[in-house]
Amino acid sequence: NGPPCSNSEITDFHAKIYANVNECCGRLNWIDTGVCVAHSDSSNTGQGGSGSSSNEGGSSGGGSSGVTNKYFVDYGSGSCLKDCAPGPFGCDKAPPPVALYDTIEDCCRTGQSYADFNFCTTRSTAQINSTQHAFSEGWIVDWTSGNEKCVKDCDPNNGPPCSN
């Protein structure tokens, strides 16, 4: 059965992503951390990723006929899209006028500052050889389960610990 992973894709871009299950369970300070860890992750791998950052900066624009290959905010998904011909993952034409950023990291840090940085950058990046976004591999408090546990942000198609 494996540790709980989000049965469906995590879409709450306000949710903080923690590096490991212990850190995530520490957020649930009203219950015993050991109980939370045992309930959240039977394999107790405690692994997770962390984001990196680069220079901030944005420019306004969005060409009326061409594309810029820069990034712009997609507020509905908590991610950033690339101003390019629609088709490949993460591509769409930027509506003018819109702030454009040189990198996904700049777009997520500045344009999506209210969203968790790891959430934004992974949702803005395709998995290798895939048309689906990447996952952070971090841990998120699952407030909807009623069980006060943490779930791993990973592709449920990969099986445990990414499936229930």
Side-chain angles (χ1 to χ4, degrees):
N1 201 6
C5 191
S6 180
N7 223 4
S8 61
E9 183 176 320
I10 296 168
T11 58
D12 181 4
F13 49 83
H14 295 100
K16 172 148 178 60
I17 298 176
Y18 298 91
N20 57 59
V21 69
N22 291 325
E23 189 179 314
C24 181
C25 285
R27 170 64 176 89
L28 299 169
N29 58 3
W30 56 92
I31 62 174
D32 181 74
T33 300
V35 171
C36 176
V37 169
H39 185 68
S40 299
D41 181 16
S42 62
S43 68
N44 195 17
T45 61
Q47 296 179 358
S50 64
S52 62
S53 58
S54 62
N55 295 334
E56 290 185 13
S59 60
S60 60
S64 58
S65 60
V67 294
T68 64
N69 289 316
K70 293 189 178 215
Y71 297 90
F72 65 97
V73 172
D74 179 24
Y75 291 105
S77 68
S79 68
C80 293
L81 298 174
K82 189 172 188 176
D83 179 27
C84 52
F89 175 87
C91 280
D92 204 354
K93 242 180 137 163
V98 67
L100 296 172
Y101 302 90
D102 292 329
T103 66
I104 289 172
E105 292 81 4
D106 289 345
C107 181
C108 288
R109 186 181 318 96
T110 306
Q112 294 277 31
S113 61
Y114 58 90
D116 181 85
F117 183 79
N118 286 336
F119 182 96
C120 180
T121 55
T122 57
R123 291 335 189 251
S124 302
T125 308
Q127 289 185 19
I128 297 172
N129 300 320
S130 178
T131 57
Q132 179 178 336
H133 67 75
F135 293 87
S136 71
E137 301 299 322
W139 292 83
I140 300 171
V141 174
D142 182 4
W143 299 107
T144 63
S145 70
N147 295 324
E148 298 177 329
K149 64 181 181 181
C150 295
V151 294
K152 191 163 186 179
D153 179 35
C154 49
D155 187 349
N157 294 322
N158 290 342
C162 301
S163 63
N164 290 337

